[in-house]
Amino acid sequence: MTTDVRDEVTDLLQHLIRNACVNDGTDESGFETRSVDVLAQYLGDTGLDLERYEPKPGRENLVARIEGTDPKAPTLLLMGHTDVVPVTPESWQRDPFGGELVDGEVWGRGAVDMLNLTASMAVAFKGLAKSGFKPKGTLVYLAVADEESLGTWGAEHLITKQRDAVAADYVITESGGFQMPAPSGPKLPVLVGEKGSYWCRITAKGTPGHASQPFRTDNALVTAAEVVRRLADYRPPAQIHNIWRDFIGGVEFPAEISEPLLDADRIDEFCEVLPLGLAREAHACTHTTFAPTIIHGGTKTNVIPDEVSIEVDIRTLPGQKGADVHKMIETALGDLVSRVDITPFDDNESTASVTDTPLWDTLQRVSSRLVESSAIVPFLTVGATDARFFRRAGSVAYGYGLFSRRLSFEDYSTMFHGNDERVDVDSLELSTQLWDATARDLLG
Ligand SMILES: [Zn+2]
């Protein structure tokens, strides 16, 4: 690959970071149109038709395609999101939206989630288009808005309202592909499934009164505080599901590590002594998790609050349904259940794709050429990605990319939605090569 491509993918990523398409969960945030403009301009000189979909002003999505010659051949969709999550700038060593290139690394929000892939997919797509790539199957590039909230103005909108534009047999989106050293060569996780989410609001009720006389009042804030404490203390049992079993089986950890990680009775204790990034990951992969994240309530300093609501981010395991989660909340809250209202406002079940597919075989072939002696292993992502919409529509969808050895698993997992997010240029180049080789191998 030429220096031009390294520069190109670096430059495109810097642009996307500087656009700061921050999605804070409100419909008015994101404004991904800025990055769709950049990508449309970048892909514009391929001569290909670009389609833009704008379900809400400012929340634009971009589709580009290289039409296959054989209608029976499979379609591969490369999908990247253009939005990013908010930052706490004081906690960063560098400007989170500066897109600075320092010591071979591009810094900024989105550098690993997932503007790195959105950029490298675009660069590979453009390279293929300009080289006159005429595959049997169709290659589609899709840049979506709103992944960091619920996908309402991005993947969900497209899959429900513009199905023909984005329908695909195979989909690749974020993330995975960090190198896990192992005796027989690096193992590269491919996200074949993801946890579900069950976001709910727990509202504590109380009786208003004058705060100068708090004795024996029914203060909703005090009840809410106890709800938060009980959720934080709740320890649901571990579940060793198939994806976890296949992952741990594939990564060749020594027995003293793999055995406790595969033992539902020992894994909790073991997570206490693992390095932080790995511990959080291992715990989240094998447990339903409960994270209270927002609290609203109270009206005035001198008024006993009569209503306080807490939002809780709950992530579910393969096979769990809303009713199962509801039971767990009841267990966690115990006798407080009768004093609160529990209202789910987003219930997304876990999804997964199988691994005996042509795309899996392609990724294995291509990866072992790009990363010597490597093997791909199935992995479960603990966050939600847009892959879920495509899996539910019948596509095989994986999360993948490639990273150089410079990025450790520890760095990778703590940078997601964290501080000092950055990616090295070698990783950007590797991913660009990956998309190019995958399209050529799978689509013929
Ligand atoms: Zn992401």
Side-chain angles (χ1 to χ4, degrees):
M1 197 151 283
T2 63
T3 325
D4 289 356
V5 169
R6 278 173 75 90
D7 290 348
E8 232 171 279
V9 64
T10 301
D11 184 63
L12 186 56
L13 172 61
Q14 288 174 310
H15 271 88
L16 297 179
I17 289 171
R18 289 172 190 151
N19 278 342
C21 296
V22 176
N23 186 343
D24 64 13
T26 62
D27 291 348
E28 293 70 35
S29 67
F31 209 74
E32 295 89 343
T33 288
R34 288 170 294 178
S35 284
V36 165
D37 285 341
V38 166
L39 291 165
Q41 192 180 22
Y42 176 74
L43 295 173
D45 65 0
T46 56
L48 295 167
D49 288 338
L50 304 175
E51 300 151 58
R52 298 170 72 136
Y53 298 95
E54 189 174 25
K56 186 169 183 69
R59 313 303 302 267
E60 246 178 317
N61 302 276
L62 179 75
V63 180
R65 65 174 59 231
I66 297 173
E67 211 61 57
T69 54
D70 178 357
K72 289 199 286 287
T75 296
L76 171 66
L77 177 88
L78 301 176
M79 171 170 59
H81 63 77
T82 51
D83 60 327
V84 297
V85 294
V87 293
T88 310
E90 315 77 91
S91 307
W92 282 61
Q93 293 178 48
R94 296 188 176 277
D95 178 358
F97 301 109
E100 291 169 79
L101 178 63
V102 184
D103 187 24
E105 291 181 315
V106 180
W107 284 64
R109 176 57 90 221
V112 295
D113 179 15
M114 66 173 293
L115 304 181
N116 57 325
L117 303 183
T118 308
S120 60
M121 286 169 170
V123 172
F125 185 91
K126 180 169 169 171
L128 285 162
K130 293 194 93 164
S131 75
F133 182 50
K134 289 262 179 295
K136 290 200 193 75
T138 295
L139 177 65
V140 186
Y141 172 77
L142 169 61
V144 289
D146 203 28
E147 193 278 342
E148 295 292 1
S149 186
L150 298 173
T152 312
W153 310 114
E156 186 181 36
H157 170 82
L158 295 169
I159 208 89
T160 53
K161 302 279 171 43
Q162 304 290 347
R163 179 71 70 96
D164 289 348
V166 297
D169 303 282
Y170 301 107
V171 176
I172 309 178
T173 186
E174 63 189 335
S175 186
F178 44 87
Q179 299 191 29
M180 303 185 70
S184 68
K187 304 302 172 191
L188 310 169
V190 176
L191 307 186
V192 300
E194 62 187 58
K195 291 183 79 177
S197 60
Y198 185 94
W199 291 357
C200 72
R201 189 172 292 110
I202 300 180
T203 306
K205 302 280 189 189
T207 309
H210 203 289
S212 62
Q213 295 181 319
F215 187 62
R216 290 174 63 185
T217 50
D218 180 14
N219 184 331
L221 184 53
V222 174
T223 308
E226 180 62 11
V227 167
V228 170
R229 195 195 63 76
R230 290 189 188 184
L231 287 173
D233 282 356
Y234 179 51
R235 295 284 175 272
Q239 279 189 30
I240 309 301
H241 49 83
N242 286 342
I243 300 175
W244 183 248
R245 202 178 293 285
D246 291 347
F247 170 69
I248 296 298
V251 292
E252 301 173 3
F253 286 146
E256 65 266 27
I257 295 177
S258 62
E259 282 170 9
L261 287 177
L262 289 173
D263 184 339
D265 295 328
R266 289 167 65 199
I267 189 168
D268 287 19
E269 209 180 319
F270 192 59
C271 284
E272 297 289 343
V273 298
L274 282 173
L276 188 57
L278 190 56
R280 283 184 185 156
E281 192 78 34
H283 176 269
C285 280
T286 53
H287 294 75
T288 315
T289 56
F290 296 75
T293 49
I294 292 180
I295 186 158
H296 283 126
T299 52
K300 199 163 178 289
T301 307
N302 63 356
V303 177
I304 299 288
D306 60 348
E307 185 172 307
V308 173
S309 69
I310 298 152
E311 288 180 25
V312 191
D313 183 350
I314 301 169
R315 303 293 169 123
T316 59
L317 291 168
Q320 283 180 329
K321 308 238 181 264
D324 302 317
V325 180
H326 202 90
K327 272 196 203 114
M328 295 174 101
I329 299 173
E330 289 181 351
T331 305
L333 298 190
D335 60 355
L336 280 184
V337 167
S338 60
R339 294 169 59 192
V340 300
D341 292 330
I342 302 164
T343 318
F345 57 91
D346 180 52
D347 183 0
N348 261 296
E349 276 175 36
S350 170
T351 60
S353 289
V354 294
T355 56
D356 57 339
T357 66
L359 178 59
W360 183 267
D361 298 342
T362 289
L363 293 179
Q364 175 54 60
R365 265 194 300 276
V366 165
S367 302
S368 62
R369 284 205 302 270
L370 292 170
V371 179
E372 205 186 327
S373 308
S374 67
I376 57 175
V377 289
F379 194 53
L380 178 81
T381 178
V382 301
T385 77
D386 283 334
R388 69 188 187 278
F389 299 110
F390 287 84
R391 292 197 188 107
R392 287 176 190 144
S395 305
V396 166
Y398 299 143
Y400 198 46
L402 279 178
F403 292 98
S404 76
R405 260 178 295 183
R406 185 163 172 177
L407 184 93
S408 70
F409 176 79
E410 191 72 9
D411 285 343
Y412 173 84
S413 54
T414 52
M415 286 192 303
F416 259 80
H417 297 200
N419 299 326
D420 294 338
E421 194 178 342
R422 61 202 184 276
V423 68
D424 62 287
V425 175
D426 289 339
S427 293
L428 295 174
E429 182 180 21
L430 264 178
S431 282
T432 310
Q433 292 170 327
L434 170 71
W435 311 129
D436 177 274
T438 297
R440 291 179 192 277
D441 186 286
L442 185 75
L443 302 176

